[in-house]
Amino acid sequence: MNRDWLTRISALGLIVSASAALAGEPWEERGHKTHVDQTRYSGDLDPTRLNTLIGHGERLFKAKFTVHDGAGRPMATQAIIPTKRKRLPEKQFHRTAGLDANSCAGCHNDPVTGGAGDFSVNVFVSEGFTNADFDTTDPQFSNERNTNHLMGAGLIELLAREMTADLHAIRREALRAARSSAETQTRKLVTKGVQFGQIMAGPDGILDLSKTEGIDSDLVVRPFGQKGVMTSLRQFTINALNHHHGMQADERFGARWTGETDFDEDGVSGEISTGDISALVAWQATRPPPASHARGPCLARSRR
């Protein structure tokens, strides 16, 4: 019986290889074969095009990237700012080397795709180091993080945008009032019931931000990341693809910004297109918010 199965598997492999050869293409295992064309999804999208884009995003989120896709970043670090390594990493598949996972869904899967992750898929990050090598899980130099869920992430980003707009409006009004009254104006930074300290605007247009709390000097609310350092799902996605998979987005690592088409020197260029990022963001942004169910369907049926 075992020999019979081995014979069938071997035959299947020969058939697949022969088919690839007849098609004039070398056999290679890839998780992501077709890039999303951003020009087809620009501007306002009707429901059909939006759902198509979301579908592409789900496929990418579940895709198991391989070296043929560009997985791995042998000569690039996990830094937000594109940064070259000083040396090759000791191990290519390592918790800090990128790749440390084959797919987004490999970590975000509990209780559904896009959810959280178990302890076994905790990640290691170097918070605060934006342009340095990072190749250790030593707690003295790295932070261990549990996988967050993405449910309701689009609503969270929209809320952060609204709060940012409110704070910027307060800043503009303070500066206007100071200029017209020729006196220093103090305003509390409060939006959606959350307090961020206060600002003082001088008649000369100088803004005193020394009493702000829990927000950067640009008064932008950043809702993503354990420390609230990511502004948007797009920024989060670009960082995560590079950090965990070594899949680099053209819009940050491409020739326009780095002068190179293969910044991580893995032999693959154009790993993630602008359209690919848009698709991933669209899928994440449309995940429903988490809900509490007092009695699940299985329990309800068992009590009938």
Side-chain angles (χ1 to χ4, degrees):
M1 189 64 156
N2 290 336
R3 289 184 178 179
D4 185 42
W5 275 108
L6 286 171
T7 301
R8 293 182 185 181
I9 292 171
S10 299
L12 179 61
L14 289 172
I15 292 171
V16 172
S17 299
S19 298
L22 288 173
E25 299 176 359
W27 169 254
E28 61 179 26
E29 185 178 359
R30 300 186 62 179
H32 176 41
K33 296 183 178 180
T34 306
H35 292 291
V36 178
D37 183 359
Q38 178 68 39
T39 61
R40 298 182 58 187
Y41 299 98
S42 299
D44 294 333
L45 302 183
D46 57 52
T48 299
R49 282 198 300 161
L50 177 58
N51 287 330
T52 301
L53 184 64
I54 292 171
H56 286 310
E58 183 175 12
R59 174 179 56 80
L60 281 163
F61 197 87
K62 295 178 178 178
K64 296 182 183 297
F65 300 118
T66 73
V67 291
H68 299 292
D69 298 303
R73 45 178 170 80
M75 286 307 295
T77 70
Q78 53 80 51
I80 293 174
I81 300 171
T83 305
K84 292 281 190 181
R85 290 186 188 274
K86 296 180 177 67
R87 60 190 181 280
L88 280 168
E90 215 173 293
K91 300 175 182 177
Q92 286 297 312
F93 198 92
H94 189 259
R95 299 305 294 273
T96 63
L99 62 130
D100 59 19
N102 292 101
S103 73
C104 303
C107 296
H108 294 276
N109 54 42
D110 190 9
V112 295
T113 301
D118 208 342
F119 179 80
S120 60
V121 293
N122 282 6
V123 300
F124 294 86
V125 297
S126 59
E127 292 286 359
F129 297 96
T130 57
N131 57 356
D133 279 358
F134 172 60
D135 56 7
T136 177
T137 58
D138 188 322
Q140 184 177 356
F141 303 103
S142 69
N143 295 324
E144 185 176 1
R145 296 285 187 246
N146 185 239
T147 304
N148 291 328
H149 71 78
L150 299 169
M151 314 313 289
L155 297 176
I156 291 173
E157 180 171 336
L158 290 177
L159 176 62
R161 290 186 186 186
E162 290 181 2
M163 295 175 75
T164 297
D166 290 346
L167 296 178
H168 286 179
I170 294 171
R171 180 178 61 189
R172 285 194 303 271
E173 191 279 328
L175 288 168
R176 183 202 58 76
R179 185 168 56 250
S180 61
S181 66
E183 295 180 356
T184 298
Q185 301 289 320
T186 301
R187 295 289 186 276
K188 291 183 178 180
L189 294 172
V190 182
T191 172
K192 313 289 187 186
V194 181
Q195 299 187 32
F196 294 96
Q198 64 182 32
I199 57 173
M200 289 179 287
D204 55 0
I206 293 178
L207 202 62
D208 184 351
L209 299 167
S210 61
K211 294 185 178 181
T212 57
E213 300 173 359
I215 197 166
D216 292 333
S217 59
D218 57 7
L219 304 185
V220 173
V221 177
R222 294 178 168 83
F224 299 114
Q226 295 278 358
K227 293 185 177 180
V229 295
M230 300 293 171
T231 306
S232 64
L233 282 171
R234 195 171 193 95
Q235 182 188 24
F236 170 84
T237 299
I238 292 171
N239 289 343
L241 284 169
N242 175 63
H243 188 141
H244 304 303
H245 311 312
M247 294 292 292
Q248 299 189 310
D250 288 343
E251 61 192 83
R252 181 180 296 172
F253 296 91
R256 180 181 179 186
W257 304 108
T258 66
E260 300 180 42
T261 58
D262 182 19
F263 183 81
D264 58 357
E265 300 181 33
D266 62 359
V268 180
S269 59
E271 296 174 2
I272 294 290
S273 70
T274 301
D276 294 339
I277 296 294
S278 295
L280 280 164
V281 170
W283 186 79
Q284 293 173 86
T286 51
R287 294 309 85 212
S292 176
H293 298 280
R295 182 163 43 164
C298 294
L299 181 60
R301 284 196 298 270
S302 67
R303 290 183 176 177
R304 287 176 183 171

